Amino acid sequence: MDYRTEEELEYCNPPPVRLLWQSGPQKLLLSARHMKTHFEFAKKKHMKDSQTMRNKILWSDEMKIDLFGDNSKRYVWEKKPCTAHHLPNTIPTGKRGGGIMLRGYFSAAGTGQLLPIEGNMNAAKYRDNLDENLFQSALDLGFGRRFIFQQDNDPKHTAKITKEWFQNNSVTILDWPSQSPNLNPIEHLWRDLKMAVHQRSPSNLMETERICKEKWQRVPKSRIVTRVLHPYVTIEKTRLCVSCVSIVSEMFLDLKTLSAGDMNSSQMFSLIPPQFLLTGLSWVEDKKLPVSVSVLLMYLVGIFSNCTIVILIKTDQKLQEPMHILISLLSLIDLSVSSSVIPKVLAILWFDSTEISSTGCLIQVYILYSMLGLQSSLFALMSYDRYVAICHPLRHSTIMSPSFITMCVIFIVLRSSVFMIPLPAVTAGLTFCKMNISNSHCEFVDVVKLACGDLMPVIIYMVILICIFPGGDNSLMVFSYVKILRVVYMLKSPQARSRSLNTCSSHAILLLSFYISSSFPLYLFLFYPNSPLYLKTLTEALSFLLLPMINPMVYGAKTKEIQDGLRRLYWKIIFVLKWKNGDW
C-alpha cells in the first residue's frame, strides 16, 4: 500500500523508463529525530522562502578528492519509483589516503573560490580561511556583503572564535540541521570534480588540484541551476526519509509542477526570468552613505540646471531661435535619461533594492536607447544648424524655419521610438541562464551577456540600428563639420575665424562628451569583458550624472544669448519677489 499523499506523489513520479539513478547517495546514520529535523528544515521552514532570499545564499563545504581510488559514478537499479534513497540502494563511503582537501563556495549565480586546505583544519585556520576567501567569493558572485552564508555544524564552524568572527563581520548564517552533509547541493559539484579526476587520472596532488580548479571554474551556470539546484523532491511519509539535496533545490527554484523527467534547461529558460538582480553597486557596500549623497546632489543639480534652461527658452521671446529650441530639447532628453536610472540607483543604495522585474528592465532598456538615439539625432540636427549658420548665413532663417525644425523634430522622435520597439521584444525572446546584471541599471549589453542561446537575431538587429543611428547621424555631422572647417579655413581675418569656431565650440564639446560616454561601455565589453564593477559605475556616473549636469553649464557659459536670458530671468524673479513683499 502506498501511504504517500497526492502532493508527495507530484514530486515523486519519474517516467517509467527512468530506472537508472546515477551516483547512488551516500548512506547517512540518521535517527528518526534527524529525519524529522531535515523534513522540517526543508518543507516547513524554507519551502516558502522568496526567490530573492534563495538567490542570496552562499553555499560552502569541504571535500577530500582522492588521488588513488575510485571517484567514478555508480549505477543503482531502481525497481520501484522513489526508492533511490532506501538503504539497500545507497553506497557506503570510506576514507582513503593520498588525496587533497578542498573548500569551495558557490551560489545560484555561479562558482566562487575553490582553495586547497593544508594540514588539519581547526577553528583558527577556518576563521583565517573565511577572512581571506569568504568576502572575495561574495564579491565575485555579485553579493557584496549582503548574503546568507551556509555552513554545516562541524565543531570548528560553531567554535567560539568562529562565532565571534561572524558577529564582528555582520555575516548572516543560514540555520542548518545536524547530521546533514547530503543536504548541501554542493555535493553535486563535488561529484563533478571527482569524475574529472577519475577521467584524467592525475599522477600527483598538484595535478589533481589543477584539474579540480579547472573543472570548478568551467562549471556553467546553467549546470548549477538545472542540475545542482534541481527542483526534484522525494518524500516518503512512512519512513520520513527526505531526499535532502532535492528539497534544498526546491528552495531555490519554485517549480513544483515540473518533474525531474520533464524538466530540462531549454524548458526552464525558454522565457525571460521574472526578475533580474542588479549587482553593479556591490563594491560600495561600506561607502553607501557618501556615494548616495553625492549621487543625489549631482542628480538634483542636473534637474535644476536643465529645468532652468527649459523654462528660460520657453518663456523668453528672444530665445526662440532654432539652436536654442534644440538646446531645450537636449535638456529634456537629459532629464529623461537621468530620471530613468538614478532613482533606481538611489533605491539600491538606500534600501538594498537590487531586484528589478523583467518588464521594468525591458522598459528601462527601451527608454534609455530611445533617448540615446534621439540625442544622437538631435546632435546631428544641431550640427546641420551650425553648418547653415556659418556656410549660408543669409539663408539661415529661411532654411532653418520653424516649420522645418518642427518636421525634423517629429521625424527624429518617430524614428527613435519606432526603430527601438523591437529591442525589448528581441531581448525577451532570448534564452537566459543567468539573472545577475553586473550593473546598477539594465544596460542592454549586460542583459544580452546573460543569454546562453542563439544571439544571431540580436546581432542582426544591432547591426541595423548601428547603420541607422550612428551611421546616418555621424555622416551628417561629418559632412557639416567638414564644410564648416573648409569655410573657416578660407576666411582671411583671424577674428572672423575665432568667431566662427566659437559658434560651434559648445556643440563640439558636448558632442565629444556624448560619444566618449556612449563608446566607453562598448569598449569595456569588447576589450575588457571582465572589467571591475567600479569602471562600470564610473561610466554610469559620466553618462547619467555628469553629462546632464554639465550640458546646461556649457551652453550657459559659451552662448551669450543664454547668458543674457539668465540675467533677465534673474531680475524678473527678483522683481516679482519684491513686488509680492511690498518693497516696490
Side-chain angles (χ1 to χ4, degrees), residues 179-363:
Q179 193 66 8
S180 53
N182 269 12
L183 198 62
N184 195 337
I186 201 174
E187 296 293 333
H188 291 289
L189 298 182
W190 294 142
R191 187 186 68 177
D192 291 349
L193 297 189
K194 290 182 178 181
M195 288 295 302
V197 171
H198 173 74
Q199 292 172 358
R200 299 176 64 174
S201 300
S203 58
N204 54 61
L205 294 180
M206 292 182 61
E207 188 175 355
T208 303
E209 180 182 344
R210 180 181 58 81
I211 293 172
C212 291
K213 288 186 176 181
E214 289 179 359
K215 181 65 177 179
W216 186 265
Q217 294 173 357
R218 294 176 181 176
V219 174
K221 292 183 176 61
S222 58
R223 155 72 177 163
I224 293 176
V225 176
T226 59
R227 298 297 301 168
V228 177
L229 304 177
H230 199 289
Y232 182 73
V233 181
T234 304
I235 304 173
E236 227 183 324
K237 188 174 181 181
T238 55
R239 298 179 56 120
L240 206 58
C241 179
V242 181
S243 174
C244 302
V245 177
S246 303
I247 285 189
V248 174
S249 303
E250 167 63 22
M251 291 168 52
F252 283 84
L253 300 175
D254 193 13
L255 302 174
K256 298 181 179 180
T257 58
L258 295 179
S259 66
D262 297 330
M263 186 172 185
N264 53 51
S265 59
S266 62
Q267 289 172 321
M268 180 180 296
F269 296 103
S270 59
L271 299 176
I272 191 171
Q275 66 179 8
F276 293 99
L277 294 179
L278 303 174
T279 61
L281 294 177
S282 58
W283 66 278
V284 297
E285 190 69 31
D286 298 331
K287 309 179 185 66
K288 283 190 174 181
L289 181 59
V291 171
S292 62
V293 172
S294 302
V295 170
L296 179 61
L297 291 178
M298 295 175 69
Y299 179 51
L300 293 178
V301 171
I303 290 178
F304 174 77
S305 57
N306 283 285
C307 288
T308 301
I309 292 294
V310 173
I311 294 173
L312 175 64
I313 296 176
K314 178 67 176 178
T315 57
D316 197 326
Q317 295 298 323
K318 295 183 179 181
L319 295 176
Q320 299 301 311
E321 296 295 328
M323 191 63 178
H324 302 144
I325 296 174
L326 297 179
I327 290 174
S328 66
L329 292 176
L330 181 62
S331 296
L332 289 175
I333 294 174
D334 287 335
L335 284 173
S336 302
V337 170
S338 60
S339 297
S340 64
V341 174
I342 301 304
K344 183 60 180 178
V345 172
L346 293 175
I348 295 174
L349 295 173
W350 288 342
F351 310 112
D352 197 27
S353 178
T354 58
E355 302 86 6
I356 183 171
S357 65
S358 58
T359 303
C361 184
L362 295 180
I363 292 175

Side-chain angles (χ1 to χ4, degrees), residues 327-522:
I327 290 174
S328 66
L329 292 176
L330 181 62
S331 296
L332 289 175
I333 294 174
D334 287 335
L335 284 173
S336 302
V337 170
S338 60
S339 297
S340 64
V341 174
I342 301 304
K344 183 60 180 178
V345 172
L346 293 175
I348 295 174
L349 295 173
W350 288 342
F351 310 112
D352 197 27
S353 178
T354 58
E355 302 86 6
I356 183 171
S357 65
S358 58
T359 303
C361 184
L362 295 180
I363 292 175
Q364 190 179 65
V365 168
Y366 175 76
I367 293 176
L368 284 178
Y369 278 79
S370 297
M371 292 297 107
L372 289 176
L374 185 58
Q375 198 170 20
S376 174
S377 301
L378 196 59
F379 277 125
L381 186 57
M382 294 168 73
S383 66
Y384 181 73
D385 174 78
R386 294 298 87 195
Y387 156 72
V388 176
I390 294 175
C391 299
H392 306 283
L394 299 179
R395 300 173 55 195
H396 180 264
S397 58
T398 303
I399 296 176
M400 303 300 293
S401 61
S403 59
F404 177 78
I405 293 294
T406 303
M407 288 189 296
C408 288
V409 170
I410 293 175
F411 171 74
I412 62 177
V413 169
L414 289 178
R415 187 181 72 154
S416 299
S417 303
V418 171
F419 279 99
M420 292 298 173
I421 288 177
L423 187 62
V426 171
T427 306
L430 295 175
T431 301
F432 288 88
C433 52
K434 308 174 189 176
M435 60 183 298
N436 286 5
I437 300 176
S438 58
N439 213 321
S440 56
H441 71 284
C442 284
E443 170 63 40
F444 177 70
V445 174
D446 292 321
V447 175
V448 171
K449 287 169 64 176
L450 305 181
C452 53
D454 184 17
L455 296 180
M456 187 55 63
V458 177
I459 296 175
I460 295 175
Y461 177 65
M462 292 307 296
V463 169
I464 295 175
L465 287 184
I466 291 173
C467 295
I468 293 175
F469 285 94
D473 297 339
N474 290 345
S475 299
L476 181 58
M477 283 186 279
V478 170
F479 167 80
S480 300
Y481 273 97
V482 168
K483 292 291 185 180
I484 289 172
L485 294 176
R486 182 168 175 267
V487 171
V488 171
Y489 178 76
M490 294 174 62
L491 295 175
K492 297 181 179 181
S493 172
Q495 292 80 7
R497 291 182 181 178
S498 176
R499 189 165 52 252
S500 299
L501 292 176
N502 189 58
T503 305
C504 306
S505 60
S506 57
H507 177 261
I509 293 173
L510 296 185
L511 190 62
L512 182 63
S513 303
F514 170 74
Y515 276 102
I516 289 176
S517 63
S518 301
S519 59
F520 194 48
L522 182 61

